[in-house]
Amino acid sequence: MTETRADSAARHLPAIVVGGGQAGLSMSRQLKERGIEHLVFEKSGVASAWKTQRWDSFCLVTPNWQCRLPGFPYAGDDPHGFMGRDEIVAYIEAYARSIEAPLMTGVGVTAVRPRPEGGFTVDTEAGTYRADAVVMAISGYHAPAIPAFSAGLPADIAQVHSSAYRNPAQLPAGAVLVVGSGQSGCQIAEDLHLAGRQVHLVVGSAPRCPRRYRGRDAVDWLAEMGQYDLSVDDHPLGQDVRRKANHYLTGRDGGRDIDLRRFARDGMALHGRLTGIEGGTLRFADDLGKNLDGADAVYVGIQGAIDRHIAAKDIAAPAEAHYRPVWQPAAAPRTLDCAAAGIGAVVWATGFRADFSFVDAPVFDDRGLPVHRRGVTAVEGLSFVGLPWLHTWGSGRFSGIARDTEYLAERIAERLVPRAVALSLAS
């Protein structure tokens, strides 16, 4: 891994990659393979988000064998295990060293502007650059999204976004309200529950997935069925699939299901969607049962799809019954008084907002997200990588980065290599 610093004068490069996480590093490796000079700008450090925005017990929800950065597959002795936070960081840092990425760490990019004559001006904290191609590899998870009505909570209740949560001891005594039942919310709720904390979980519409079914991890089955290769163009929802939440499950302690009904049976309090806070009183929608049923329907649907695959391929696999609910919500009050419930802290597992405001190009939709096809935008030379469903379900994960970055590197090479040859001949 090489460390460089910019000159004060503007310098021209064929390509610039913004972001030094797994997506940016993978892009760097693909560009290097094609002989395309470039720099990777990283405002913090390699794997910074993994280091600073994950809780202590965090682990992957996909098996280690799916860690397949370009030319650097998982090489450990537990391919069906689930790497923890520190192991993930070590894996990414080892990758950066192995590819000798031309990294500029501690250097943020402050503006990206198309030039009238083609290419881009890239302003950084270490000077201004010009580039023929720019690849944005900073995901879409930039600013914590916390609802405005959070201001209605009493001042003595601690509030923390999921990206800043580390462990149960970090929070003050008392019950904890976790808002959001996506992957982060469910895993943090479990972390608190296992530590003996009284948890109130606000349940949304996120789906869930079996951890294991009929003798194998469900991810193994789904990969064999081609689900991670399904493109956004072929998905029944089309580009709307990019708005869907990820399935919740966990790799903790070797991997297991997350069954919110079981948590409720064991003492966790479940609530419908949080609609407002007034004077320390929480207000919920009457949709808890609907949300639990919806998550379970997806879970059972995945079991059924695996059953059909096993039957179609005549695979020998042990029989297993489909999931049956272990708990049903009773009619419950639609409000909860924080003081009466003893709530001392709230964890907002409510996701993030994208912030591409420093990219001055007409490539964003009304939500501020890039409009693209396989990462390629309408502005020639500007592309994105590392986004969920960039092209397939595997995009945005370790498993799909190689395919996505290879495609983008090929598109960049198609533009730059003929141009370089023409300039050489002209000189």
Side-chain angles (χ1 to χ4, degrees):
M1 177 168 59
T2 57
E3 299 280 349
T4 48
R5 285 292 180 267
D7 298 326
S8 58
R11 173 187 172 190
H12 178 266
L13 289 164
I16 282 176
V17 179
V18 182
Q22 63 267 23
L25 293 171
S26 299
M27 194 71 228
S28 177
R29 199 255 190 187
Q30 302 280 19
L31 293 172
K32 193 172 184 179
E33 273 196 339
R34 290 159 179 79
I36 299 173
E37 184 186 3
H38 66 283
L39 284 176
V40 180
F41 289 97
E42 167 52 48
K43 68 178 180 179
S44 299
V46 172
S48 175
W50 293 100
K51 296 175 184 176
T52 64
Q53 297 182 17
R54 303 296 190 274
W55 54 94
D56 294 349
S57 64
F58 179 91
C59 57
L60 293 177
V61 300
T62 52
N64 294 334
W65 65 261
Q66 279 210 334
C67 293
R68 298 180 296 200
L69 296 180
F72 202 75
Y74 173 78
D77 59 3
D78 190 16
H80 294 282
F82 306 89
M83 282 193 282
R85 179 192 60 194
D86 295 345
E87 294 173 285
I88 299 166
V89 169
Y91 173 63
I92 298 171
E93 289 180 336
Y95 184 59
R97 290 191 298 269
S98 75
I99 65 174
E100 298 183 325
L103 271 166
M104 294 188 67
T105 56
V107 179
V109 172
T110 57
V112 175
R113 301 184 302 277
R115 295 166 58 85
E117 64 271 32
F120 303 86
T121 297
V122 180
D123 294 334
T124 80
E125 294 171 343
T128 297
Y129 288 76
R130 289 182 291 112
D132 298 314
V134 173
V135 182
M136 302 301 303
I138 57 172
S139 77
Y141 309 124
H142 304 141
I146 299 176
F149 58 60
S150 63
L153 283 168
D156 61 346
I157 294 179
Q159 299 187 53
V160 61
H161 187 261
S162 58
S163 59
Y165 171 80
R166 294 295 172 266
N167 54 62
Q170 165 196 14
L171 303 179
V176 182
L177 173 72
V178 179
V179 183
S181 61
Q183 283 187 2
S184 293
C186 286
Q187 291 178 61
I188 289 172
E190 181 191 47
D191 195 43
L192 292 161
H193 179 71
L194 293 175
R197 302 294 290 267
Q198 175 60 58
V199 178
H200 292 261
L201 176 63
V202 172
V203 179
S205 59
R208 72 187 190 101
C209 178
R211 177 74 278 168
R212 294 183 179 84
Y213 182 62
R214 298 196 65 177
R216 297 175 70 188
D217 193 291
V219 170
D220 292 2
W221 286 122
L222 293 171
E224 184 175 287
M225 294 158 61
Q227 291 299 304
Y228 292 98
D229 299 322
L230 180 68
S231 76
V232 66
D233 296 326
D234 295 329
H235 195 282
L237 294 177
Q239 295 193 16
D240 286 345
V241 72
R242 292 174 176 152
R243 298 173 180 259
K244 302 292 284 184
N246 284 322
H247 303 70
Y248 59 82
L249 71 171
T250 183
R252 184 167 178 163
D253 299 329
R256 55 174 171 255
D257 287 359
I258 288 183
D259 184 353
L260 301 186
R261 296 182 193 268
R262 180 173 57 80
F263 287 161
R265 185 191 62 189
D266 295 341
M268 186 182 293
L270 305 184
H271 305 276
R273 181 171 46 88
L274 184 62
T275 59
I277 305 171
E278 298 176 11
T281 297
L282 309 173
R283 300 190 181 280
F284 306 103
D286 186 22
D287 60 0
L288 174 60
K290 172 187 172 184
N291 293 340
L292 291 172
D293 289 345
D296 289 343
V298 173
Y299 184 104
V300 173
I302 291 172
Q303 290 180 315
I306 293 171
D307 289 339
R308 292 189 292 275
H309 171 73
I310 289 171
K313 299 296 183 181
D314 195 25
I315 298 170
E320 187 171 340
H322 285 188
Y323 173 79
R324 290 182 176 276
V326 298
W327 176 88
Q328 292 289 351
R334 299 268 297 280
T335 62
L336 181 70
D337 181 84
C338 289
I343 291 174
V346 175
V347 178
W348 296 100
T350 43
F352 296 81
R353 294 188 304 273
D355 182 8
F356 292 104
S357 57
F358 65 97
V359 181
D360 186 13
V363 297
F364 301 100
D365 63 17
D366 57 0
R367 297 184 300 152
L369 295 174
V371 177
H372 63 88
R373 182 175 178 80
R374 295 197 69 172
V376 178
T377 73
V379 172
E380 187 175 16
L382 179 62
S383 54
F384 291 76
V385 71
L387 299 173
W389 280 99
L390 186 89
H391 177 52
T392 67
W393 196 15
S395 296
R397 305 170 184 234
F398 287 113
S399 63
I401 289 175
R403 171 167 44 200
D404 289 343
T405 53
E406 179 181 23
Y407 179 83
L408 291 178
E410 285 296 320
R411 303 292 77 75
I412 291 171
E414 287 171 1
R415 289 184 59 246
L416 299 190
V417 173
R419 181 180 301 177
V421 171
L423 289 173
S424 176
L425 291 175
S427 62

